[in-house]
Amino acid sequence: KRNNMKYFKLLALAVAIILASCNAQERVLYLQDVENGSEISLPENYLIHLKPLDQITVVVNSKNPELAVPFNTSTSYSSLTGNTVSSSATSSSLQILTVDDRGYIDMPIIGEIKCAGKTREEVASDIEQKIKAGGYIADPKVNVRFADLTISIIGEVTRPGRYDIKKDQLTIFEALALAGDMTIYGNREDVAVIREQDGKNVITKLDLRSQDIFSSPCFYLQQNDVIIVSPNKYKAATAEINQNRSFWISLASTGISLASLVMTIIIASK
């Protein structure tokens, strides 16, 4: 009977360890409901669209480079002489254009171009068409690039911070990779993305354990998105224990100090 009881305890312990391991694995695995070979449709209209106050660079090219020079030149006034000073965007320092609060940029010669709500390619196409329509260049090729494309990642990741991104097609998984992935304490079913839309901050919650993430409008990120990875309940419990431990240690230290002070006063009074 004693042997049977011993075996039963060992079996119960083994089952408990296996169950705990399974639960731990479920807490840290991504895409738990996706089978091998699954084909999942991705969201449409996923490219980053320009917004007011975005900064971009615009370079116009042509088979005849001299024709493109006026479009790649920004004109400003010298604060010392008051004379106009021109700089070419083909130099090592490209001119940076800021989308105004109405959603437009002001290009040399051709004037205003609407950018808000459009992709880089759409803005480049609009500039090309306007240059052709004005009869300035017959074969313009326009390259539009972002100058300030950033996202922020905070919370339970290895390297929280603000990141410059080099492309306008970045997924939530790629963003987490930039930050060194979540820590073991990151809550994979509660990741928040804060996105500015129409003057408001819109918060979208994501469950990275589910394939539903692929249909979320936040699967592909936009400029200035903020990703917040919340801690799981185990990290929260650990933090609370540490806080309580610090409190009691501090209380005990204060008590000892007071006791020492009282003893010193008593001895001095004698």
Side-chain angles (χ1 to χ4, degrees):
K1 290 183 179 179
R2 290 182 179 177
N3 289 335
N4 290 339
M5 183 62 67
K6 182 186 294 185
Y7 291 140
F8 177 77
K9 290 180 178 179
L10 289 175
L11 179 61
L13 178 61
V15 170
I17 292 174
I18 292 172
L19 291 176
S21 300
C22 292
N23 289 334
Q25 189 178 41
E26 288 179 357
R27 291 196 298 270
V28 298
L29 286 180
Y30 297 109
L31 303 177
Q32 297 179 24
D33 57 353
V34 176
E35 297 181 359
N36 185 35
S38 298
E39 295 183 0
I40 301 173
S41 299
L42 296 176
E44 297 180 356
N45 199 26
Y46 54 81
L47 292 176
I48 291 178
H49 291 69
L50 287 160
K51 301 176 182 177
L53 304 183
D54 279 346
Q55 293 184 323
I56 59 175
T57 61
V58 180
V59 176
V60 180
N61 294 296
S62 170
K63 291 181 180 179
N64 186 346
E66 292 183 359
L67 296 177
V69 169
F71 298 96
N72 295 326
T73 301
S74 58
T75 302
S76 59
Y77 288 90
S78 168
S79 59
L80 297 177
T81 65
N83 298 325
T84 60
V85 179
S86 296
S87 60
S88 173
T90 57
S91 66
S92 59
S93 179
L94 297 175
Q95 63 170 328
I96 295 178
L97 303 176
T98 301
V99 181
D100 65 24
D101 54 5
R102 298 178 300 118
Y104 288 81
I105 58 171
D106 191 10
M107 284 285 296
I109 302 177
I110 59 175
E112 290 188 332
I113 300 290
K114 184 177 181 180
C115 295
K118 297 184 177 182
T119 64
R120 293 186 302 112
E121 289 79 5
E122 290 171 339
V123 172
S125 178
D126 289 348
I127 295 173
E128 289 177 0
Q129 294 301 320
K130 201 162 185 179
I131 291 174
K132 288 180 182 179
Y136 303 109
I137 303 176
D139 61 342
K141 297 296 180 184
V142 178
N143 187 10
V144 176
R145 291 190 176 276
F146 289 101
D148 64 341
L149 204 56
T150 63
I151 58 172
S152 299
I153 308 172
I154 59 177
E156 284 297 327
V157 292
T158 304
R159 297 187 298 272
R162 187 176 183 182
Y163 290 88
D164 294 322
I165 52 180
K166 305 301 182 182
K167 60 179 183 178
D168 46 0
Q169 183 184 344
L170 187 79
T171 70
I172 182 69
F173 291 115
E174 291 173 314
L176 292 173
L178 289 175
D181 199 7
M182 291 189 195
T183 68
I184 196 69
Y185 295 111
N187 191 345
R188 278 128 178 99
E189 59 181 307
D190 187 21
V191 176
V193 176
I194 302 177
R195 175 172 297 172
E196 184 180 345
Q197 293 180 340
D198 301 323
K200 299 178 181 178
N201 284 326
V202 179
I203 301 174
T204 302
K205 291 295 189 73
L206 305 176
D207 183 354
L208 302 187
R209 305 173 309 161
S210 170
Q211 62 178 323
D212 292 341
I213 181 66
F214 292 106
S215 60
S216 170
C218 290
F219 177 68
Y220 285 104
L221 299 174
Q222 297 283 323
Q223 69 272 47
N224 302 321
D225 279 354
V226 178
I227 298 97
I228 303 176
V229 179
S230 60
N232 58 29
K233 59 182 180 181
Y234 302 96
K235 177 61 177 289
T238 302
E240 185 174 355
I241 291 173
N242 290 337
Q243 185 176 8
N244 290 338
R245 182 183 299 167
S246 298
F247 170 76
W248 289 113
I249 291 174
S250 177
L251 185 62
S253 177
T254 302
I256 292 172
S257 298
L258 288 174
S260 299
L261 178 62
V262 170
M263 290 298 296
T264 301
I265 294 173
I266 293 174
I267 292 172
S269 63
K270 292 180 179 181

